Amino acid sequence: MKAEQVVRALTTPLASPAYARTAARFTDREYLNIVYRTDPDALRAVVPEPLEIDEPLVRFEVMKMNEVTSFGPYTEAGQVIPVRLGAERGEYLHAMYLDNFGATVAGREIAAYPKVAGTPKLFTDSGALVGTLDYGTLRVATATMGYKHHALDLDAAREQITTPTYMLKIVPGYDGTPRVCELVRTRITDVVVKQAWTGPARLQLFQHALAPLADLPVLEVVSASHILTDLTLSGVRPVHDYLTEARS
């Protein structure tokens, strides 16, 4: 293989890339979102500067990707934290667990999504929408919501989905120190909200050393939503370079 071909390669292995060189389009992406109040000190311990917290809130989400170009169907779950960067309000992606290797690798390498392996599920059970997350063979989260009890305004649902998102992009160097250490921003703009609902909800988080969702304990459920959308993910751009700050 010629050197110029290597430079143009998107990912390894060179002969069988881990993901396709294409923008993934999500069709009928289904969200279960539960916003809850948590311990403010625990929240401050995990949100990196220069992001700031106004209220001690966390959003637990389960997303069922019913159809995704290049990746196929898969499910994802995680925790998202409402934050502020200067005057802009957004969300910090704290943790994401999913059951698709290609989507995991692409999310980490192309962007900065904090994705690791897990087994999330989203399904209905006896009049409830249920979201679960297992790490290995152990349950670490169970979310329940009344199935389509009350319609949610579509514009309000769209605002939830298109909130600016912040992530940490960390690439280690060969000497053990970071080669890249940036706060990056993205925002979904190409979105069609098809359905949106709300209803009563509960969330249980279970202690696990390697999936520490319960380190942000559930003190009070604030709101819940069930949203069905089509969307395409946008690219990311850096908004803060930690290495430049450290050298100054």
Side-chain angles (χ1 to χ4, degrees):
M1 183 178 290
K2 300 292 186 181
E4 56 268 24
Q5 292 176 284
V6 175
V7 173
R8 289 197 301 269
L10 178 67
T11 182
T12 57
L14 286 178
S16 56
Y19 49 89
R21 197 183 189 100
T22 183
R25 177 66 178 173
F26 295 78
T27 302
D28 291 338
R29 182 174 185 172
E30 190 175 8
Y31 288 82
L32 168 59
N33 298 308
I34 297 184
V35 177
Y36 69 92
R37 197 173 306 279
T38 192
D39 179 86
D41 292 332
L43 205 57
R44 293 188 194 99
V46 298
V47 174
E49 296 179 337
L51 298 175
E52 298 181 272
I53 302 165
D54 290 328
E55 290 188 79
L57 300 176
V58 180
R59 179 166 62 85
F60 176 77
E61 62 180 12
V62 182
M63 296 176 287
K64 187 176 182 180
M65 321 300 186
N66 286 295
E67 172 59 32
V68 190
T69 56
S70 79
F71 296 124
Y74 66 95
T75 308
E76 186 169 315
Q79 288 171 311
V80 184
I81 301 170
V83 294
R84 179 169 45 82
L85 182 63
E88 182 180 70
R89 297 186 183 278
E91 294 182 325
Y92 169 65
L93 292 187
H94 175 55
M96 307 176 82
Y97 301 83
L98 60 160
D99 57 4
N100 183 296
F101 177 75
T104 302
V105 176
R108 292 173 66 99
E109 291 186 1
I110 297 177
Y113 293 96
K115 299 187 176 189
V116 297
T119 309
K121 295 185 182 300
L122 185 64
F123 56 95
T124 56
D125 180 73
S126 190
L129 181 65
V130 181
T132 61
L133 174 60
D134 294 348
Y135 190 86
T137 62
L138 299 179
R139 179 63 43 87
V140 293
T142 299
T144 56
M145 173 182 164
Y147 186 72
K148 295 187 177 182
H149 278 205
H150 310 289
L152 180 65
D153 180 76
L154 296 184
D155 289 335
R158 184 178 295 104
E159 186 175 347
Q160 289 185 32
I161 302 303
T162 59
T163 299
T165 300
Y166 300 97
M167 303 169 282
L168 282 180
K169 178 75 171 183
I170 300 176
V171 179
Y174 300 110
D175 61 354
T177 60
R179 190 173 180 178
V180 175
C181 190
E182 297 173 334
L183 183 70
V184 302
R185 177 191 184 276
T186 187
R187 186 173 191 173
I188 296 171
T189 55
D190 181 15
V191 58
V192 177
V193 178
K194 297 179 173 180
Q195 297 181 30
W197 304 86
T198 188
R202 298 292 185 271
L203 175 63
Q204 292 175 287
L205 302 178
F206 305 96
Q207 297 284 352
H208 194 297
L210 302 183
L213 283 78
D215 286 2
L216 300 177
V218 180
L219 303 183
E220 175 192 9
V221 171
V222 175
S223 64
S225 60
H226 175 202
I227 302 172
L228 187 68
T229 71
D230 296 345
L231 60 86
T232 304
L233 298 179
S234 302
V236 302
R237 64 177 179 86
V239 294
H240 182 77
D241 189 330
Y242 292 94
L243 299 182
T244 299
E245 181 183 69
R247 289 191 289 263
S248 62

